[in-house]
Structures are given as C-alpha cells and as structure tokens.
Amino acid sequence: MIPIIILMTGVAYLCGSLSSAVVICKLYGLADPRTAGSKNPGTTNVYRLGGRIPALLVLVMDILKGTVPVYCSYWLGLEPVALGFVAIAACLGHIFPLYFGFKGGKAVATAFGAMLPVGPELAGLTILSWLAALFVWGYSSLAAIIAVILAPFYTYFIKPDYTLPVAMLALLIIVRHKANILRLFSGQEPRVWDKRGKLKNSN
C-alpha cells in the first residue's frame, strides 16, 4: 500500500501544479494573474481581470485538481490519513506549481475539491458557510478561512473517520492566508465587490 500512497501523492502534486488561472488567462488573452491584480493566480483575481466566464473555468479546474486524485486514491483503498496526504499534495502543487516557477495561489478551491469525496453534505455545508460569510462581510479571504475552520466540525458529524484529513487541509489553507489575515486586522483587505482598479490584494 505504501508504493500506492507515494504514487498517488506524486500524481496529486503534479495535478495540482497545473495552474488553472495562468492557463485560462493565456487562452483568453488576459494579463498574467501572477503579476497583475492581486498577483494571486486564483479565481477571485481572474474574476477581476477577465470576468465571470474565465473565473468560472478556473474555479472548476482548480476543484477538479483536488477531487480527481483524492477520489482515485479513495477507490484504490487508501486509508483516511493517507487520503489526507494526497489532498495536501494536490494543494501544495497549486501553491508551489512545478510547471510555473513554484509561484501559485491559495489552494482554497483545490482544498474544497479534495474534500468532495467525503460527501455532498460536507460540500454543501462548506459552500453555504462561504457564501454566508461573504454576504455578511464581503471578504473572499475571510469567507474561505471561516469555511475551512468549520469544515472539520462538519466532517466530524458526517464521516468522523475523515476529520483528521480535513483538519490537515484546513490548517494548510489558514497558514496560506497569513497575509490576508494580517490585512484583515489592519483594515487593508479589499472586498470582492470593490472596483477592480482599486483592488490590490485578495484571496
């Protein structure tokens, strides 16, 4: 089983390394999301640079980068903790992409995708938490942080065996948002619906 874990962890990292934001922006002739806008190659920045369709494509691709390797690992019989390592590998690929100079995004969508095999209940609750936090406060980064903090608690009541892997993912995402957390405390984090030209940093 160890060789399979190593293999799937490597596959997950390589899948995660495919930067959806960079690829979609190139296809649509948009500015490089690593150097324009918030300089974060993620869905929110692509939305500000190119609008809904490119952002939606980035979101779907980023989610699949997490779902596919974890789901395949699940069907190969990997235990929950091993699935957690596969999921983290996919997220690390997104954060430090091999194909794009190890400069990636926050991995929120990829982490969400990695949680999908746990069940639709977790997915639904996580999305609702994100939407509620976004509606109340307007910060994409804060919404993501709140959603991942709640995810392990949801998992405990849905499929307790997967609580640790989901908690591992949540911790990674929170650490990745360190800069956003500091900006939130200092009042410098922009809201999603601010004018595009005024946005400098975001999730």
Side-chain angles (χ1 to χ4, degrees), residues 70-96:
V70 172
Y71 202 69
C72 289
S73 299
Y74 172 79
W75 282 109
L76 286 172
L78 269 63
E79 296 296 323
V81 174
L83 290 175
F85 286 118
V86 173
I88 287 176
C91 291
L92 288 176
H94 182 88
I95 296 170
F96 306 108

Side-chain angles (χ1 to χ4, degrees), residues 80-127:
V81 174
L83 290 175
F85 286 118
V86 173
I88 287 176
C91 291
L92 288 176
H94 182 88
I95 296 170
F96 306 108
L98 177 65
Y99 320 120
F100 298 92
F102 300 98
K103 185 178 180 181
K106 300 290 175 59
V108 174
T110 303
F112 173 75
M115 295 178 190
L116 282 180
V118 174
E121 301 92 344
L122 176 60
L125 288 169
T126 304
I127 291 173

Side-chain angles (χ1 to χ4, degrees), residues 38 54 83 93 103 107 115 118 143 157 159-160 163 165 175 187 189 194-195 202:
S38 68
L83 290 175
K103 185 178 180 181
M115 295 178 190
V118 174
F157 292 101
K159 287 187 179 179
T163 302
V175 170
E189 182 78 344
D194 288 341
K195 292 182 180 179
S202 70

Side-chain angles (χ1 to χ4, degrees), residues 176-188:
R176 185 60 177 162
H177 279 77
K178 177 182 177 181
N180 299 86
I181 293 171
L182 292 175
R183 287 196 296 270
L184 284 166
F185 278 111
S186 64
Q188 297 179 344

Side-chain angles (χ1 to χ4, degrees), residues 137-193:
W137 291 289
Y139 297 103
S140 176
S141 57
L142 180 60
I145 292 168
I146 291 174
V148 298
I149 287 175
L150 293 173
F153 295 98
Y154 297 148
T155 307
Y156 179 78
F157 292 101
I158 298 169
K159 287 187 179 179
D161 288 347
Y162 292 89
T163 302
L164 179 58
V166 171
M168 292 162 61
L169 276 177
L171 181 60
L172 175 64
I173 298 304
I174 292 170
V175 170
R176 185 60 177 162
H177 279 77
K178 177 182 177 181
N180 299 86
I181 293 171
L182 292 175
R183 287 196 296 270
L184 284 166
F185 278 111
S186 64
Q188 297 179 344
E189 182 78 344
R191 288 182 169 84
V192 171
W193 46 73

